[in-house]
Amino acid sequence: MRFGILGPLDLRTDDGTPLDPGGPRPRALLTLLLLDAGRAVSTDRLTDGLYGAEPPAGAANALQSQISRLRRRLAPHTEIEAGAHGYRITAPPDTVDAHRFERLAAAGRTALAAGDHAGAAALLRDALALWRGTPLPDLPDAHAERARLEELRLAAVQDRIEADLALGGGAELVPEVRALLAERPLSERLYGQLMRALQAAGRPAEALAVYGQARRVLADELGADPSPELAALHLELLNGRDGTPRRPRLPAQLTRFVGREAELGLIERALAASRMVTLTGPGGVGKTRLAVEAARAAGEVCFVELAPLTDPDRIPAAVLAALGVREGFRTPAGDAVDRLLAALEGRTLLLVLDNCEHVVDEAARLSARLLAACPGVRVLATSRESLGITGEVLVAVPPLEPEPSLALFLDRARAVRPGFDGHARVPDICRALDGLPLAIELAAARLRTLTPDELADRLDDRFRLLSRGDRSKAPRHRTLRAVVEWSWELLDPEERELAARLTVFPGGATLDAVEAVCGVPYPEDVLASLVEKSFVEVSEGRYRMLETIRAYAAGQLTGGEALRDAHAAYFLRLAERAEPYLRGAEQLPWLDRLGAEQDNLDAALHHLTRTAPPGALRLTAALTWFRRLRGLHGGRLPQARALLAATGEEPPEGLAEEYALCLMNAVSGTGDDPADEDRVAHVAALMKSFDGPLRYPFTVVLWSLTGGPLLTAVDGQVRVQLGHAPWGLALLDLGVAYQALFAGRARDSEEAFTRALNGFRTTGDRWGMANCLDPLGGFALWRGDHDRALRLLDEGLEYVRELDAPEETADLLRTRAIVLLSRGAADEAAAHFTRSARLARDAGASDKVASARRGLGDIARLAGDTARARGHYESALEVCAANWFSVGESTRILLGLARTAAAEGDPDAALDWCAQARAQALESPDTLLLADVADALAGLAERPERAAELLGAAAGLRGAEPAADPDLVRTRERVRAALSPEAYGEAFERGRALRSAAVSDR
């Protein structure tokens, strides 16, 4: 239905059929309900509306009776519901003309403010067309509501006239505005509209006469002069202008606006929801430019630059000047704020207050007063801290993300070096400059005389380098130092002191760390102030500075050495506290905590290496397992070698274990460093000297990776070193399992891996569980149980993903790829091998890269693409490191080349590759390698009896016969087809008995 109350009550169904609600009482009752359509109206209000202040006896029953009669008349089109809070008509508000009018009038006002004059005029005409006479005629006592609606109608009429004037209206508007003025002779807005309409109609003398009329009426009735806005319009007409309102100009920009689409959207939404929006952020982040761009779509705008002001009391005058309002000779002296309020009365305008931070208190007071007195005014401020006004919406302006940073650099660089198309170091330059637009623009300008490499190499001295800015800018915006210095000067002494001390944290800091290191008790309030002033950022409990701000503040620091001592001591305590948790159920949060502190831990290690090598040894030891889990190999070698140089050739008293771990961290594992042999020998001697439980049981793991299985076989001393703690016992079973596996005792190995898995489950260590699930998945594959193998491997992958351990993830993906390949899913296996190689490469684990590439070679070879297979195998050989565990990988790669040669019809080359593989295998205690050689030779053997012997030898060496390996399946099928079951069995058992001896004879 449709309901009309802006005139005589009018009810119509959807097809236009009128309805009669009844006599005066039902009509009044329906009008009351429609004023709050969709909401409950209390019985008291309905009773007052129907009967006045003195309702008759039984008014409640009478009201209920009236409701019942009205329901019957409206049914079935509309319902009236009874509830605990009164009665509600279910009609949507937009079906009532009064509500629809208010919505359209508000939308028209918004469109007018946005500069959409045509849209505003259309909306406002639609709104005004809903009026059919005096509103609410059936409610004679509704004086206040009727007056409110009439005021809204008059405002809508004036807004529509404003839109028509902007669209070129003139003469046709004059009679209408004169009639309105006759009803409202004190409305300055109507006087202004009449003056502009007359001017547009070509009647400038009459327009000037209207101003005289306004001045006389205002003086006689109010004893006041015309407002500054009306006076300014009069001055424009005297100067021959057309009187059309002109938007105060926004600052013209000489460069292209780059990026910030997301921030522009945030500002647009904020300005739609709030009348006070403040852009906050550090100096140089681009708040002013962003405010200018956001204001371009905001309709009438007044831009006020506050940076030059030194006296906060001059802000109102600065706004008046920006509005173009000037004092005349006969303008009496008065309060600038009152003049400003008069100038903005009735106007719809966005006031941009730029750079408020140094006059923030006065800017806040003025903004609050303007917003309270001028409902058409919105304020967009830029400041390094909020204005602190109720209703203020803050939009933080962050540094640019990498992609827009690069785009900005390239755009500005091409202005000084036409044709510049980028450079490999440009992303590093942008990152080093924190994505600060000002710094990026200053850096790009230096390409006039510097190369990108020269620019990047000089950024350590960024303030000297970026000291030539735009001469047209204010001094505080001209150089990077000036921008940061301006922010620094706005801090109070306590804030400066803490800001300088915070620079000791290269990776940011938690509140606990700040309190412990900076020597400031209860620093929360000062930190909050630094955050509010955009000098410090906070996210998830961590406080950090942009590197540019940190570089400046570090130059103001005194007593830095003592602070660095305290910093190193704090992070040493943290690392030692964390270390035991890295081997248990709580390892994930502690890994994350250490990961968040990586930069601080590196800085602490560097400082301790220089000042207190024993402390550095303790820190290195405490971090070794964390770095092993997270694949952080990048700085391990230089840090460990620098620490050894600082410590000397022998461990300090009581730190032999820590010294051994440092030695192991210093071994490259590539075979390229001749000193590695001496380091390994030194570790071997130290490990033999440890005759009790180790403080760091993972030392045994690191030693097995460094020294190899011959030096680290599980023996009585290792059992003592691992002690009786659950994690050490589980690790012991893991070592026993691998020892049995290498010895060809498959059943014993699987049982030991199962015991180790259960032990690690008890501790909750995901690393241990994953390292057991990987070989157990391999045993399931040997039995041809692909589903169980994948289940075990997927469980292990879940653990290493939680750990974010790249090497272990690469291992499990490689094993899963082998299972998939044996199952015939070659494409999925290739994807796994590729991802495994990428993870291993990023972690610096070259042997795992080689293993993944070998897997890709196997896929290509089994598919018949021998050329591609050879490429993968040769690439795998190139990346194999020269260490003990590369022997196994090299052996298997050589066997892949052998099978490739055989597939190409070159048996001699194939046998030669097998000979090289056998020679490698004999250097390793891992009998599985000889088993792999035997399998390959079986595939090459011309006599089926010899092939069966070699297959038996391989099974004997492994302690099991893999059921699903694609190469073995092919070989077994070929050999079994050539021999009787009895002959095959006899030859197979003969080979099993001979084992390694069978492999030595081709």
Side-chain angles (χ1 to χ4, degrees):
M1 288 190 67
R2 292 286 173 179
F3 304 90
I5 57 178
L6 296 178
L9 184 65
D10 184 52
L11 284 67
R12 294 184 182 273
T13 62
D14 292 336
D15 62 3
T17 304
L19 287 182
D20 181 10
R25 288 276 164 77
R27 297 172 75 85
L29 177 60
L30 178 58
T31 301
L32 288 167
L33 291 170
L34 290 172
L35 281 172
D36 281 289
R39 298 195 299 270
V41 184
S42 69
T43 55
D44 289 344
R45 183 178 173 190
L46 293 173
T47 301
D48 289 345
L50 290 178
Y51 302 108
E54 298 181 1
N61 291 332
L63 173 62
Q64 192 172 19
S65 176
Q66 294 284 359
I67 290 286
S68 297
R69 284 196 291 272
L70 187 57
R71 277 178 176 149
R72 287 194 296 272
R73 287 183 175 272
L74 297 180
H77 306 288
T78 301
E79 295 182 3
I80 299 175
E81 298 176 345
H85 302 291
Y87 295 93
R88 181 179 78 93
I89 190 167
T90 59
D94 216 44
T95 62
V96 183
D97 58 1
H99 298 301
R100 183 172 174 79
F101 163 73
E102 290 196 50
R103 180 179 67 78
L104 290 170
R109 187 180 184 90
T110 300
L112 185 64
D116 181 8
H117 302 114
L123 287 166
L124 292 163
R125 279 190 167 81
D126 288 345
L128 292 167
L130 296 171
W131 285 70
R132 295 170 292 103
T134 301
L136 314 179
D138 297 290
L139 291 177
D141 294 330
H143 304 298
E145 182 62 23
R146 189 176 295 110
R148 186 185 74 85
L149 288 169
E150 291 283 8
E151 286 295 326
L152 289 174
R153 178 179 176 275
L154 178 62
V157 170
Q158 290 178 291
D159 286 343
R160 195 222 77 225
I161 292 170
E162 197 76 35
D164 287 343
L165 285 168
L167 292 169
E172 73 281 5
L173 298 173
V174 172
E176 181 182 15
V177 181
R178 284 196 188 280
L180 291 171
L181 255 178
E183 297 175 8
R184 303 223 171 203
L186 299 180
S187 172
E188 292 195 71
R189 187 182 187 190
L190 286 172
Y191 280 118
Q193 288 180 334
L194 180 56
M195 292 166 65
R196 289 158 53 202
L198 288 166
Q199 178 74 10
R203 297 150 64 181
E206 293 180 61
L208 293 172
V210 169
Y211 179 76
Q213 176 191 350
R215 186 169 55 184
R216 288 191 299 274
V217 171
L218 293 171
D220 293 343
E221 298 294 329
L222 302 176
D225 287 336
S227 68
E229 183 183 19
L230 194 61
L233 175 58
H234 177 239
L235 183 62
E236 287 186 353
L237 297 181
L238 285 172
N239 292 333
R241 299 177 187 170
D242 62 8
T244 303
R246 304 179 186 277
R247 299 182 191 175
R249 287 185 177 180
L250 288 166
Q253 304 299 321
L254 302 180
T255 55
R256 189 169 65 93
F257 184 68
V258 177
R260 297 296 196 195
E261 289 80 7
E263 288 84 355
L264 283 173
L266 282 175
I267 298 169
E268 181 182 355
R269 291 190 291 275
L271 285 171
S274 173
R275 293 174 55 220
M276 177 73 229
V277 177
T278 303
L279 310 186
T280 62
V285 81
K287 300 183 294 295
T288 297
R289 184 66 186 272
L290 187 56
V292 169
E293 296 301 323
R296 294 193 190 284
E300 188 177 5
V301 178
C302 177
F303 184 90
V304 187
E305 171 58 79
L306 299 181
L309 294 184
T310 57
D311 181 1
D313 293 337
R314 295 293 300 163
I315 297 178
V319 179
L320 285 169
L323 286 167
V325 178
R326 294 174 176 81
E327 297 182 3
F329 288 115
R330 287 182 283 184
T331 302
D335 186 353
V337 176
D338 290 339
R339 294 174 55 234
L340 180 57
L341 293 175
L344 292 175
E345 182 183 6
R347 290 181 70 172
T348 300
L349 173 140
L350 177 66
L351 180 63
V352 181
L353 299 178
D354 189 39
N355 292 302
C356 297
E357 53 271 352
H358 62 305
V359 289
V360 66
D361 292 336
E362 183 57 35
R365 282 191 288 270
L366 178 63
S367 297
R369 191 165 175 184
L370 291 177
L371 293 169
C374 307
V377 171
R378 295 175 294 165
V379 176
L380 175 61
T382 73
S383 178
R384 298 181 196 184
E385 62 178 303
S386 69
L387 271 61
I389 300 173
T390 301
E392 177 185 26
V393 172
L394 299 180
V395 176
V397 181
L400 289 171
E401 293 293 326
E403 186 174 344
S405 290
L406 178 60
L408 178 64
F409 186 96
L410 293 176
D411 183 79
R412 304 306 191 253
R414 287 165 185 152
V416 298
R417 184 181 285 189
F420 181 73
D421 59 355
H423 186 275
R425 299 191 69 179
V426 168
D428 296 333
I429 293 171
C430 296
R431 187 164 44 251
L433 294 174
D434 303 304
L436 286 175
L438 173 64
I440 290 171
E441 290 180 334
L442 292 171
R446 293 308 303 260
L447 289 186
R448 181 181 287 111
T449 56
L450 297 177
T451 68
D453 285 324
E454 291 170 335
L455 177 62
D457 292 340
R458 286 164 170 77
L459 284 179
D460 286 343
D461 193 7
R462 65 187 65 198
F463 294 113
R464 184 196 61 79
L465 181 69
L466 307 180
S467 60
R468 294 187 178 185
D470 186 343
R471 293 189 182 97
S472 67
K473 297 285 183 68
R476 52 165 286 203
H477 287 151
R478 197 171 295 170
T479 69
L480 188 61
R481 176 179 289 279
V483 168
V484 181
E485 200 163 54
W486 170 267
S487 297
W488 181 262
E489 294 301 325
L490 294 176
L491 303 179
D492 62 37
E494 187 180 21
E495 292 165 347
R496 289 180 200 166
E497 181 64 26
L498 182 56
R501 294 185 180 192
L502 286 175
T503 62
V504 77
F505 296 99
T510 62
L511 181 60
D512 287 343
V514 173
E515 190 168 9
V517 174
C518 294
V520 177
Y522 311 111
E524 299 92 327
D525 290 343
V526 184
L527 283 170
S529 181
L530 289 171
V531 170
E532 289 169 0
K533 294 182 178 181
S534 303
F535 216 82
V536 171
E537 297 175 339
V538 62
S539 176
E540 298 181 354
R542 290 189 67 80
Y543 298 86
R544 67 178 294 271
M545 291 176 166
L546 295 178
E547 190 58 32
T548 296
I549 293 177
R550 181 172 172 266
Y552 180 87
Q556 318 303 314
L557 178 64
T558 58
E561 195 67 11
L563 273 173
R564 283 184 280 273
D565 288 342
H567 174 273
Y570 175 86
F571 286 102
L572 173 58
R573 291 193 301 272
L574 176 67
E576 291 185 328
R577 178 187 171 200
E579 187 279 320
Y581 293 105
L582 301 182
R583 294 176 273 113
E586 297 183 59
Q587 62 192 169
L588 293 183
W590 281 100
L591 281 168
D592 288 342
R593 184 166 181 184
L594 292 181
E597 302 292 1
Q598 186 60 44
D599 289 340
N600 285 313
L601 291 166
D602 287 344
L605 183 55
H606 177 78
H607 179 71
L608 290 172
T609 299
R610 181 175 60 84
T611 62
L617 285 173
R618 289 169 53 195
L619 183 55
T620 293
L623 292 177
T624 293
W625 194 238
F626 160 70
R627 290 174 167 177
R628 175 68 183 80
L629 289 178
R630 284 289 165 89
L632 300 172
H633 296 290
R636 176 177 60 87
L637 285 174
Q639 286 177 343
R641 290 176 182 179
L643 179 52
L644 289 174
T647 304
E649 296 182 359
E650 294 300 326
E653 182 68 27
L655 296 176
E657 188 176 334
E658 288 81 356
Y659 189 85
L661 280 168
C662 187
L663 280 167
M664 285 185 264
N665 279 310
V667 174
S668 67
T670 63
D672 297 332
D673 189 344
D676 277 352
E677 188 175 343
D678 292 336
R679 295 184 185 111
V680 171
H682 200 168
V683 177
L686 288 170
M687 292 299 295
K688 288 180 181 178
S689 70
F690 300 146
D691 54 4
L694 297 172
R695 285 190 295 276
Y696 301 104
F698 60 76
T699 301
V700 172
V701 179
L702 270 293
W703 178 223
S704 70
L705 295 174
T706 305
L710 290 176
L711 295 176
T712 57
V714 175
D715 57 18
Q717 186 177 24
V718 171
R719 294 176 186 275
V720 171
Q721 289 172 348
L722 290 175
H724 299 288
W727 194 87
L729 293 174
L731 183 63
L732 187 64
D733 276 326
L734 186 63
V736 168
Y738 273 111
Q739 198 163 300
L741 181 64
F742 292 156
R745 303 196 309 276
R747 179 179 296 178
D748 293 344
S749 176
E750 188 169 12
E751 290 175 354
F753 277 124
T754 302
R755 289 196 307 273
L757 175 62
N758 293 332
F760 284 124
R761 286 196 196 281
T762 301
T763 68
D765 178 20
R766 294 160 179 79
W767 173 87
M769 289 187 282
N771 274 276
C772 296
L773 289 163
D774 189 352
L776 287 172
F779 282 120
L781 176 61
W782 280 10
R783 288 190 288 272
D785 191 344
H786 294 91
D787 291 338
R788 174 171 170 75
L790 292 174
R791 284 197 303 272
L792 292 169
L793 294 170
D794 287 345
E795 182 184 352
L797 277 168
E798 185 62 32
Y799 293 141
V800 294
R801 284 170 182 150
E802 289 179 330
L803 290 173
D804 193 19
E807 290 193 46
E808 283 72 16
T809 305
D811 283 338
L812 283 154
L813 284 172
R814 182 197 63 235
T815 307
R816 197 177 196 278
I818 293 170
V819 176
L820 292 169
L821 180 58
S822 71
R823 202 177 201 178
D827 291 342
E828 192 176 354
H832 277 49
F833 279 131
T834 301
R835 187 170 169 227
S836 174
R838 184 174 66 252
L839 286 169
R841 182 183 64 247
D842 293 344
S846 58
D847 289 278
K848 300 180 193 301
V849 177
S851 183
R853 291 182 181 176
R854 172 174 57 84
L856 292 170
D858 290 344
I859 292 174
R861 176 177 53 79
L862 291 168
D865 190 347
T866 55
R868 189 174 182 187
R870 187 184 304 103
H872 283 306
Y873 291 138
E874 290 173 351
S875 173
L877 273 180
E878 288 176 1
V879 298
C880 259
N883 50 41
W884 70 265
F885 46 87
S886 72
V887 172
E889 191 51 53
S890 299
T891 300
R892 293 183 173 98
I893 296 169
L894 293 169
L895 293 176
L897 287 166
R899 289 186 167 109
T900 301
E904 293 175 334
D906 191 347
D908 292 337
L911 289 171
D912 184 59
W913 286 120
C914 282
Q916 293 183 51
R918 179 178 174 277
Q920 290 267 5
L922 290 173
E923 295 179 8
S924 171
D926 183 359
T927 59
L928 299 183
L929 296 179
L930 278 176
D932 290 338
V933 173
D935 285 334
L937 287 171
L940 299 175
E942 295 180 1
R943 294 185 300 109
E945 293 84 355
R946 177 57 178 158
E949 285 181 356
L950 288 165
L951 290 173
L957 287 164
R958 287 193 185 94
E961 185 180 11
D965 180 276
D967 288 307
L968 283 180
V969 169
R970 290 180 180 182
T971 302
R972 274 197 298 265
E973 289 176 351
R974 177 178 62 81
V975 176
R976 284 181 180 276
L979 296 173
S980 66
E982 294 78 10
Y984 178 86
E986 290 176 2
F988 186 90
E989 290 303 323
R990 188 164 58 250
R992 183 196 292 271
L994 292 174
R995 298 180 62 181
S996 60
V999 185
S1000 63
D1001 181 9
R1002 296 187 181 181

Coordinates of all heavy atoms in Angstrom, one line a residue, residues 1-4 10-20 73-78 95:
M1 N 0.8 -1.2 0.0 CA 0.0 0.0 0.0 C 0.9 1.3 0.0 O 2.1 1.2 0.3 CB -0.9 0.0 1.2 CG -2.0 -1.0 1.2 SD -3.2 -0.7 2.5 CE -3.9 0.9 2.0
R2 N 0.2 2.4 -0.3 CA 0.9 3.7 -0.2 C 0.0 4.6 0.7 O -1.2 4.6 0.6 CB 0.9 4.3 -1.6 CG 1.9 3.6 -2.5 CD 3.3 3.9 -2.2 NE 4.2 3.1 -3.0 CZ 5.6 3.2 -2.9 NH1 6.1 4.0 -2.0 NH2 6.4 2.5 -3.6
F3 N 0.7 5.3 1.6 CA 0.1 6.2 2.6 C 0.6 7.6 2.4 O 1.8 7.8 2.3 CB 0.4 5.7 4.0 CG 0.0 4.3 4.2 CD1 1.0 3.2 4.0 CD2 -1.2 3.9 4.7 CE1 0.6 1.9 4.3 CE2 -1.6 2.6 4.9 CZ -0.6 1.6 4.7
G4 N -0.4 8.5 2.4 CA 0.0 10.0 2.3 C -0.5 10.7 3.5 O -1.6 10.7 3.9
D10 N -4.3 10.0 2.8 CA -4.6 9.3 1.5 C -4.1 7.9 1.6 O -2.9 7.7 1.8 CB -4.0 10.1 0.4 CG -4.3 9.5 -1.0 OD1 -5.5 9.3 -1.3 OD2 -3.4 9.2 -1.8
L11 N -5.0 6.9 1.4 CA -4.6 5.5 1.4 C -4.9 4.9 0.1 O -6.0 5.0 -0.4 CB -5.3 4.7 2.5 CG -4.9 4.9 4.0 CD1 -5.2 6.2 4.5 CD2 -5.7 3.8 4.8
R12 N -3.9 4.2 -0.5 CA -4.2 3.5 -1.8 C -3.5 2.1 -1.8 O -2.4 2.0 -1.3 CB -3.7 4.3 -3.0 CG -4.4 5.7 -3.1 CD -4.0 6.5 -4.3 NE -4.7 7.7 -4.3 CZ -5.9 7.9 -4.9 NH1 -6.5 6.9 -5.5 NH2 -6.5 9.1 -4.9
T13 N -4.2 1.2 -2.4 CA -3.6 -0.2 -2.6 C -2.6 -0.1 -3.7 O -2.4 0.9 -4.4 CB -4.7 -1.2 -2.9 OG1 -5.3 -0.8 -4.2 CG2 -5.7 -1.3 -1.9
D14 N -1.9 -1.2 -3.9 CA -0.8 -1.2 -4.9 C -1.3 -0.9 -6.3 O -0.5 -0.4 -7.2 CB -0.1 -2.6 -4.9 CG 0.7 -2.7 -3.6 OD1 1.1 -1.7 -3.0 OD2 1.0 -3.9 -3.2
D15 N -2.6 -1.2 -6.6 CA -3.1 -1.0 -7.9 C -3.8 0.4 -8.0 O -4.4 0.8 -9.0 CB -4.1 -2.0 -8.3 CG -5.3 -2.1 -7.4 OD1 -5.4 -1.3 -6.5 OD2 -6.2 -3.0 -7.6
G16 N -3.6 1.2 -7.0 CA -4.1 2.6 -7.0 C -5.5 2.8 -6.4 O -6.1 3.9 -6.4
T17 N -6.2 1.7 -6.0 CA -7.5 1.8 -5.4 C -7.5 2.5 -4.1 O -6.7 2.1 -3.2 CB -8.1 0.4 -5.3 OG1 -8.1 -0.2 -6.5 CG2 -9.5 0.5 -4.7
P18 N -8.3 3.6 -3.9 CA -8.3 4.3 -2.6 C -9.0 3.5 -1.5 O -10.0 2.8 -1.8 CB -9.0 5.6 -2.9 CG -9.8 5.4 -4.1 CD -9.1 4.3 -4.9
L19 N -8.6 3.7 -0.3 CA -9.3 3.0 0.9 C -9.7 4.1 1.8 O -9.0 5.1 2.0 CB -8.3 2.1 1.6 CG -8.0 0.7 0.9 CD1 -7.1 -0.1 1.8 CD2 -9.3 0.0 0.6
D20 N -10.8 3.9 2.5 CA -11.3 4.9 3.5 C -11.1 4.3 4.9 O -11.6 3.3 5.2 CB -12.8 5.1 3.3 CG -13.4 6.1 4.3 OD1 -12.6 6.8 5.0 OD2 -14.6 6.2 4.3
R73 N -10.5 -2.5 8.4 CA -10.5 -1.6 7.2 C -9.3 -1.8 6.4 O -9.3 -1.7 5.1 CB -10.7 -0.2 7.6 CG -12.1 0.1 8.1 CD -12.3 1.6 8.4 NE -13.7 1.9 8.7 CZ -14.6 2.3 7.9 NH1 -14.3 2.3 6.6 NH2 -15.8 2.6 8.3
L74 N -8.1 -2.1 7.0 CA -6.9 -2.2 6.3 C -6.6 -3.6 5.8 O -5.8 -3.8 4.8 CB -5.7 -1.8 7.2 CG -5.7 -0.3 7.7 CD1 -4.5 0.0 8.5 CD2 -5.7 0.7 6.5
A75 N -7.3 -4.6 6.4 CA -7.1 -6.0 6.0 C -7.6 -6.1 4.5 O -8.6 -5.5 4.1 CB -7.8 -6.9 6.9
P76 N -6.9 -7.0 3.7 CA -5.7 -7.8 4.0 C -4.4 -7.1 3.6 O -3.4 -7.7 3.5 CB -6.0 -9.0 3.2 CG -6.6 -8.5 1.9 CD -7.5 -7.3 2.4
H77 N -4.5 -5.8 3.3 CA -3.3 -5.1 2.7 C -2.2 -4.8 3.8 O -1.1 -4.9 3.4 CB -3.8 -3.8 2.1 CG -4.9 -4.0 1.1 ND1 -4.8 -4.6 -0.1 CD2 -6.3 -3.7 1.2 CE1 -5.9 -4.7 -0.8 NE2 -6.8 -4.1 0.0
T78 N -2.6 -4.5 5.0 CA -1.6 -4.1 6.0 C -2.1 -4.5 7.3 O -3.3 -4.6 7.6 CB -1.4 -2.5 6.0 OG1 -1.0 -2.1 4.7 CG2 -0.4 -2.1 7.0
T95 N 6.8 3.4 2.3 CA 5.5 3.5 1.7 C 4.7 4.7 2.2 O 3.6 4.9 1.8 CB 4.7 2.2 2.0 OG1 4.5 2.0 3.4 CG2 5.4 0.9 1.4

